[in-house]
Amino acid sequence: MATPPEEIERQHAHASTLLKTLPPFVPPSSGPIPLKYKTAPLATLYPAPTGDDTADENMPPPPPPTDVPCLSTMAEMDISKIKDLISHGHNSDQTSLWSPDYAAKHNVSITRPSHDAWGIKKIMLIFCDDFLQSVYTLPFYDKPLPPPYTGKSFKRVLEPIISALGIKPSKIVRMLFASLPPGVTIPVHHDTGEWVNKSHRIHVPIITNPSVLFLCGGSHPCHMKRVSATEGLVFEMNNQSKHAVSNCSSFHRVHLILDYVDSHVPKRVVPLSPGETILQTRRSIDVKSDYGKTPCPKYLIIGAQKAGTTSMYEYICSHPWGVKGRRRETHFFDWRWQASLTSPASLRSFYMKFFYYEDLKSHPSCITGDSTPSYLLHSDVVIPRVKTVCPWTKIIVMLRNPVDRALSHYRMVTSEDGTEAQKQVRGRNWVGKTFEDVIEEELRELEEVGLYKGGEWDYSKYGDYLKTRPMGTGSHSLLVRGCYWMQLQAWLENFKREDILIERMEDMKRDGIQKTVSRAYEFLGLPEFKVVDEGSKNSRSYDGMEEATRERLEQIFEAEDRKLFEGLGWEMVEGKAIW
């Protein structure tokens, strides 16, 4: 949440007092700060017992986290060559290296929303996306500087600092010069982003003066120390700790800011060309030349109904690179198929209306999907249509104990919750009937078509059965939707096994939400991300079933369950499938 302007003003005014009363602190020379101390914001590890992020001088301060290092001096350097290169007119819009127009032509323009809003100028050299998947080296760093700086090179003048840190240049994931205007305060905060706890944050003051207050340390503003940030001091700060800076002078303050990793290896390093365009969201960075390269949709969640499909969709979309569609259940490949459109291009064009396709083309790191549980059942019509419109898509299947799934399906259809439109889509065929009534009714239908007869399932009749199934309603196939191996056969035959992820709703309870969803992230090529809200989605409470009914359903599904577990290599107990 952004700090209110009035609070920033208060902190800036308070900085003038601290410059007079708070003695400078020289960070100890203790070497790199171990990344284990950056596993979470210190405000989380050491929460203040009362108050908020603003310091209240009248309130007893919470105890400081004495065991977490927040500052360390790494070296003291002669930065005169760097200063000569960037100092001339750094506070003027006409200065080449600091000019956004000059950067757009000779370097690459990158936005930093908060800093840009505060008027902080920048010279970008190296940057990465939020998940450290890609590191981009910009022309100002990777190439000799253009006129009027011909013959000069940032890479060359920065080599002594990189050498003093004892790191290889390939370990640097972010590097820039930041120029803080006079009269500006960056308020108390801690850094966020997946890159933070994988990297070391280095500051090197290049141009500063005694009227700049740099504060850092601890989990609460009262823990922060006034850093003796003299020009040429190379120091590391734990940017998971609270920090802030106020420029109370009449001059710009310039720091070199550098982030480097220990062992993390980005998937790719991308050298950028002068004038290249970067396309950004808050958490992603893409190059314009990659425009439209991510397929849409990236995935289909095809079922089974009432087996956690909504939850899985929401968890995927909670990832910063996951984007919801305009509709979660498009039903494009079954209920809303456009038979009048005869070419794949026209069908695809219609399908894209269900997604934010034009926006996604500009951000190929981001993905979207279609979650329509009825696709699993209607494989006869859905599969050829998918192969026509989006054959590249990955398939996610969520399964659940078929007995529990059946009851949940029945309760959903007969529920009076929801709008009239929702009730219509669910179907009203079972309203006024007991769960047992619906089971008996379906068993008679299955026997007539020959799909289930004499206690045996006959797969050869599945195609005939599907031809009798209605579209536009969910109040049918209570039992067949739980025959997962029967439904999966066509999908396994038509798509590569590595492009199909099959999970159980029970896995979310057994392995935990995070572990289960992490498998989906990996399957979809998304970097690891902590699920914030692990609550179940689209669930409702209802009474259980009679024990005799449960035993009967278990008997009906027993052979199907065994085939499924054997076919997928899932562990069984004494030859029995245990959900």
Side-chain angles (χ1 to χ4, degrees):
M1 183 179 295
T3 306
E6 58 272 18
E7 173 55 26
I8 296 178
E9 291 180 13
R10 190 199 72 80
Q11 291 186 28
H12 187 78
H14 185 54
S16 299
T17 302
L18 292 178
L19 283 168
K20 300 174 184 177
T21 60
L22 192 63
F25 169 76
V26 179
S29 299
S30 51
I33 296 174
L35 294 181
K36 67 179 181 179
Y37 294 113
K38 300 181 72 175
T39 55
L42 299 191
T44 302
L45 294 173
Y46 298 89
T50 55
D52 56 20
D53 277 354
T54 63
D56 185 344
E57 296 80 14
N58 299 318
M59 183 180 297
T66 56
D67 57 336
V68 177
C70 293
L71 292 159
S72 177
T73 292
M74 305 299 289
E76 293 187 55
M77 306 294 298
D78 175 6
I79 46 88
S80 57
K81 291 182 179 179
I82 303 173
K83 191 171 184 179
D84 288 344
L85 185 56
I86 58 95
S87 62
H88 175 65
H90 71 272
N91 58 347
S92 167
D93 288 339
Q94 304 304 314
T95 301
S96 297
L97 291 174
W98 296 97
S99 166
D101 292 338
Y102 190 82
K105 181 178 180 181
H106 298 288
N107 200 32
V108 175
S109 294
I110 292 179
T111 60
R112 305 188 75 216
S114 295
H115 284 201
D116 293 346
W118 291 321
I120 297 173
K121 296 181 179 298
K122 57 188 180 294
I123 300 174
M124 304 299 302
L125 304 177
I126 299 174
F127 210 60
C128 65
D129 63 66
D130 202 64
F131 289 89
L132 287 174
Q133 298 294 289
S134 300
V135 174
Y136 300 89
T137 57
L138 280 66
F140 274 4
Y141 177 73
D142 210 32
K143 296 175 173 60
L145 290 173
Y149 301 94
T150 305
K152 296 182 179 181
S153 165
F154 273 118
K155 179 180 284 189
R156 188 162 58 246
V157 299
L158 292 172
E159 280 178 354
I161 291 177
I162 297 171
S163 178
L165 290 171
I167 62 173
K168 296 179 180 179
S170 60
K171 293 293 184 181
I172 300 172
V173 293
R174 292 191 177 192
M175 185 159 63
L176 68 148
F177 291 95
S179 181
L180 182 69
V184 171
T185 282
I186 298 178
V188 176
H189 68 288
H190 59 263
D191 290 351
T192 60
E194 301 303 308
W195 58 274
V196 174
N197 59 23
K198 298 180 180 68
S199 60
H200 298 269
R201 163 58 57 88
I202 303 296
H203 271 253
V204 185
I206 306 299
I207 301 173
T208 189
N209 64 77
S211 294
V212 174
L213 180 75
F214 189 94
L215 299 168
C216 178
S219 61
H220 191 270
C222 65
H223 300 151
M224 297 188 300
K225 298 178 180 180
R226 177 186 172 187
V227 183
S228 180
T230 56
E231 292 182 4
L233 182 73
V234 182
F235 67 94
E236 179 177 355
M237 59 169 286
N238 184 340
N239 50 342
Q240 289 278 29
S241 66
K242 293 296 184 183
H243 54 283
V245 60
S246 295
N247 186 353
C248 299
S249 76
S250 301
F251 308 95
H252 278 236
R253 182 220 70 165
V254 179
H255 275 207
L256 171 68
I257 302 174
L258 180 157
D259 296 284
Y260 73 90
V261 294
D262 285 341
S263 57
H264 179 85
V265 179
K267 288 187 175 180
R268 62 176 188 159
V269 177
V270 184
L272 299 177
S273 301
E276 198 155 10
T277 301
I278 291 291
L279 306 171
Q280 295 176 254
T281 68
R282 175 170 169 76
R283 299 300 186 192
S284 70
I285 298 179
D286 292 292
V287 183
K288 190 175 182 178
S289 57
D290 289 336
Y291 180 87
K293 284 189 176 180
T294 293
C296 180
K298 180 69 176 278
Y299 63 93
L300 301 178
I301 301 178
I302 65 171
Q305 190 179 42
K306 307 310 297 177
T309 56
T310 302
S311 292
M312 179 58 80
Y313 177 80
E314 293 290 338
Y315 296 142
I316 292 172
C317 292
S318 73
H319 191 286
W321 292 1
V323 179
K324 289 185 177 182
R326 297 181 189 275
R327 300 181 69 104
R328 179 177 68 83
E329 296 187 18
T330 74
H331 283 287
F332 173 72
F333 294 111
D334 52 15
W335 304 358
R336 295 191 176 95
W337 182 250
Q338 302 296 301
S340 62
L341 302 177
T342 56
S343 71
S346 60
L347 287 163
R348 176 169 167 72
S349 179
F350 186 92
Y351 189 34
M352 291 304 99
K353 295 178 181 179
F354 292 100
F355 309 100
Y356 297 97
Y357 181 52
E358 292 303 318
D359 293 333
L360 285 164
K361 285 195 291 188
S362 297
H363 304 288
S365 291
C366 299
I367 67 170
T368 194
D370 176 350
S371 175
T372 305
S374 57
Y375 289 167
L376 179 62
L377 177 70
H378 291 293
S379 57
D380 56 336
V381 295
V382 172
I383 288 178
R385 293 170 179 177
V386 171
K387 301 286 275 189
T388 298
V389 176
C390 51
W392 58 76
T393 191
K394 289 181 174 287
I395 306 297
I396 297 177
V397 186
M398 296 296 300
L399 304 180
R400 180 185 184 183
N401 183 317
V403 176
D404 297 331
R405 194 220 67 82
L407 180 61
S408 181
H409 185 183
Y410 167 79
R411 295 298 187 194
M412 178 190 70
V413 168
T414 57
S415 172
E416 292 302 320
D417 296 339
T419 65
E420 287 304 315
Q422 288 173 324
K423 294 176 185 178
Q424 190 66 32
V425 169
R426 294 175 196 156
R428 310 302 287 163
N429 296 348
W430 300 343
V431 175
K433 301 176 183 178
T434 67
F435 183 48
E436 288 72 19
D437 288 341
V438 175
I439 293 171
E440 292 300 328
E441 185 177 281
E442 182 164 338
L443 285 173
R444 287 193 294 270
E445 290 178 356
L446 296 175
E447 187 168 354
E448 287 175 8
V449 78
L451 183 58
Y452 185 77
K453 197 170 185 178
E456 299 289 339
W457 293 96
D458 184 352
Y459 282 20
S460 68
K461 302 296 184 181
Y462 184 53
D464 295 335
Y465 172 79
L466 289 179
K467 292 174 183 177
T468 68
R469 295 303 88 197
M471 295 285 184
T473 176
S475 57
H476 65 86
S477 307
L478 181 80
L479 300 178
V480 175
R481 289 181 199 265
C483 295
Y484 304 130
W485 193 240
M486 183 188 300
Q487 297 173 80
L488 280 170
Q489 294 309 295
W491 293 94
L492 293 171
E493 290 170 4
N494 283 275
F495 292 88
K496 295 178 182 178
R497 184 62 183 89
E498 60 265 29
D499 288 334
I500 301 177
L501 175 68
I502 302 173
E503 294 284 355
R504 286 172 282 184
M505 189 174 177
E506 288 79 7
D507 293 334
M508 292 185 174
K509 298 177 181 178
R510 187 166 35 242
D511 298 340
I513 298 293
Q514 184 65 59
K515 189 173 181 180
T516 306
V517 176
S518 290
R519 289 194 289 265
Y521 289 160
E522 182 178 7
F523 173 70
L524 296 174
L526 293 172
E528 180 62 20
F529 177 72
K530 180 174 174 54
V531 177
V532 177
D533 178 9
E534 293 191 353
S536 60
K537 319 298 177 185
N538 195 28
S539 61
R540 53 175 52 82
S541 59
Y542 47 80
D543 296 333
M545 69 181 76
E546 296 291 335
E547 188 59 34
T549 302
R550 175 172 290 277
E551 290 177 0
R552 187 181 186 196
L553 288 176
E554 287 176 348
Q555 184 179 13
I556 290 172
F557 289 121
E558 182 178 7
E560 257 293 293
D561 284 357
R562 189 180 305 112
K563 287 180 181 179
L564 175 73
F565 275 61
E566 290 175 348
L568 297 180
W570 287 352
E571 183 179 359
M572 296 192 292
V573 178
E574 296 180 353
K576 186 176 181 180
I578 305 295
W579 286 90

